[in-house]
Amino acid sequence: MGSPTAAKLRPHGGEEVAHDVLDVGAIVVPKKPEYGSVIKKAGKSVGRLIHLPQYEKGVHEIRLEDLIEWEDQPRQDFPVEDDDEMAASIEAEGQYDELHVAPLETPEGIRFLIIRGTRRYRGLKQAQKETARALTKWDPDIENLFATSFFADL
């Protein structure tokens, strides 16, 4: 598979800096992987959480096409005006906070499930960005992942 490409990232209010983009095609899955919760969308399995030690935690630049929204997340109300506001903010100042994501094994390969940051993700898409800065996390239980991401701000 190809090597990662560079993306221009502008931290909040700062100058653009080049970052390597995570190449999901180059991710090596352990021979005996540890799996977690099965994730469903519209009642069908889209994949299951997978422990990838090299992405257990840390900040990575990930292509938007490799991110999947978590349909069962507690927040279900996403007004369109919020997406417009977020996109305008991203255009003006760049991505301020990281998304929180977890590795997900799908039939198409490794993708990343958005645990926290759906509005940012939608704003990045609307602003026609190609990548997002994301903090990767691991826990076999999706509810624990959500709790640790959500309550970290309180």
Side-chain angles (χ1 to χ4, degrees):
M1 308 272 163
S3 62
T5 58
K8 295 273 184 181
L9 177 69
R10 182 174 46 187
H12 186 65
E15 294 186 24
E16 285 188 347
V17 226
H19 287 275
D20 285 339
V21 176
L22 187 74
D23 181 2
V24 295
I27 292 175
V28 177
V29 176
K31 288 184 182 180
K32 293 185 178 182
E34 179 182 350
Y35 290 104
S37 301
V38 171
I39 306 302
K40 296 182 178 186
K41 193 169 191 175
K44 294 184 178 182
S45 172
V46 292
R48 57 188 172 171
L49 298 175
I50 183 170
H51 184 213
L52 299 172
Q54 67 272 41
Y55 302 107
E56 189 165 333
K57 56 182 165 178
V59 176
H60 304 279
E61 193 73 15
I62 301 175
R63 289 182 186 88
L64 296 183
E65 66 194 42
D66 294 327
L67 296 167
I68 296 174
E69 289 188 44
W70 180 30
E71 177 177 276
D72 292 331
Q73 69 165 299
R75 181 177 179 185
Q76 294 294 314
D77 184 31
F78 293 98
V80 174
E81 313 79 63
D82 288 358
D83 292 347
D84 295 341
E85 202 175 286
M86 182 63 72
S89 171
I90 289 167
E91 284 290 339
E93 301 179 34
Q95 181 184 348
Y96 185 70
D97 287 323
E98 292 89 11
L99 306 177
H100 289 206
V101 301
L104 186 69
E105 184 180 63
T106 73
E108 295 79 35
I110 300 297
R111 299 294 182 263
F112 291 86
L113 181 71
I114 301 170
I115 305 300
R116 181 171 155 229
T118 301
R119 280 189 58 227
R120 281 185 294 282
Y121 168 70
R122 291 178 179 185
L124 287 160
K125 281 177 60 175
Q126 189 170 326
Q128 298 182 334
K129 301 298 180 185
E130 293 182 13
T131 63
R133 198 173 61 251
L135 175 66
T136 57
K137 296 181 160 214
W138 162 252
D139 190 292
D141 186 329
I142 188 67
E143 298 300 331
N144 290 343
L145 277 171
F146 170 74
T148 58
S149 289
F150 181 77
F151 294 114
D153 287 344
L154 301 180

